[in-house]
């Protein structure tokens, strides 16, 4: 491909140029589990499990929800999906 030819919509170089501000939301499920004040206690217990254990499951749900949200907000419309 020469410099004067346009890039194909599905090429790797065009996918690498996604600078959507929604991508910043992907830091939420990375940073939130690193804050010790959230899980540094025993109470409240859910079904007998201390906070640390059920909070780990909540972090998984947070990551899945955030990733799904960012995917839906940043995917291309039309034929380039």
């Amino acid at each position: 491909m020469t410099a004067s030819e346009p890039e194909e919509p599905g090429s790797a170089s065009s996918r690498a140029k996604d600078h959507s501000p929604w991508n910043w939301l992907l830091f939420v499920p990375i940073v939130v589990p690193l804050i010790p004040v959230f899980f540094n206690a025993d109470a409240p217990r859910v079904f007998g499990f201390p906070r640390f254990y059920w909070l780990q499951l909540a972090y998984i749900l947070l990551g899945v929800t955030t990733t799904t949200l960012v995917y839906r907000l940043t995917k291309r419309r039309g034929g380039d999906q």
Side-chain angles (χ1 to χ4, degrees), residues 18 20-27 29 63-75:
D18 184 15
S20 174
W22 292 110
N23 291 338
W24 287 102
L25 282 177
L26 294 173
F27 280 109
V64 168
T65 304
T66 305
T67 304
T68 302
L69 178 69
V70 170
Y71 170 75
R72 289 183 179 259
L73 291 171
T74 58
K75 74 177 182 178

Side-chain angles (χ1 to χ4, degrees), residues 1-53:
M1 175 187 304
T2 63
S4 62
E5 293 180 21
E7 293 182 1
E8 295 180 19
S11 68
S13 59
S14 68
R15 282 189 301 246
K17 294 180 183 179
D18 184 15
H19 298 293
S20 174
W22 292 110
N23 291 338
W24 287 102
L25 282 177
L26 294 173
F27 280 109
V28 171
I30 295 171
V31 173
V32 169
L34 296 175
I35 303 172
V37 73
F38 289 144
F39 56 84
N40 193 16
D42 187 45
R45 288 179 171 254
V46 176
F47 300 115
F49 291 101
R51 181 192 300 187
F52 176 79
Y53 294 107

